[in-house]
Amino acid sequence: TMKAAKELGYIPFKWDIDTIDWKYRNEPEIIINRVKNKDVKDGSIILMHPTKATTECLDDIINIIKSKELKPGKLSDIFE
């Protein structure tokens, strides 16, 4: 898939932190703990979906990122 995307001129991005929020859509604490226990680093991409639990714990996820002296952003920031 990555090779085909590149051949078509696309820039593929792969997440490296999976919140599995689709599965824990009513359990924000599990999502928070998943992010806490992962190696979030400069350039990490955290996969999230628009679930109720993700919305509830987004501030916590941002604080986890900031606690590592990193700046949260979005993929579109890379292309601006």
Side-chain angles (χ1 to χ4, degrees):
T1 303
M2 298 293 267
K3 181 181 175 196
K6 288 178 184 177
E7 287 174 357
L8 291 170
Y10 292 100
I11 302 169
F13 283 92
K14 178 78 170 102
W15 45 263
D16 59 328
I17 309 291
D18 189 356
T19 61
I20 309 183
D21 54 358
W22 58 270
K23 183 176 181 180
Y24 301 109
R25 60 183 65 233
N26 295 311
E27 301 175 78
E29 286 302 319
I30 292 176
I31 296 168
I32 292 165
N33 286 329
R34 283 192 59 80
V35 175
K36 274 184 189 175
N37 294 324
K38 298 293 181 178
D39 182 25
V40 180
K41 56 190 174 289
D42 188 29
S44 283
I45 297 174
I46 300 174
L47 177 63
M48 295 184 281
H49 300 86
T51 68
K52 181 177 185 279
T54 303
T55 302
E56 291 173 1
C57 68
L58 190 56
D59 286 338
D60 294 289
I61 291 172
I62 290 170
N63 287 331
I64 292 166
I65 294 166
K66 288 180 175 179
S67 74
K68 297 176 182 280
E69 299 183 10
L70 299 170
K71 180 182 173 188
K74 37 188 196 217
L75 284 178
S76 61
D77 293 341
I78 296 168
F79 299 107
E80 294 176 352

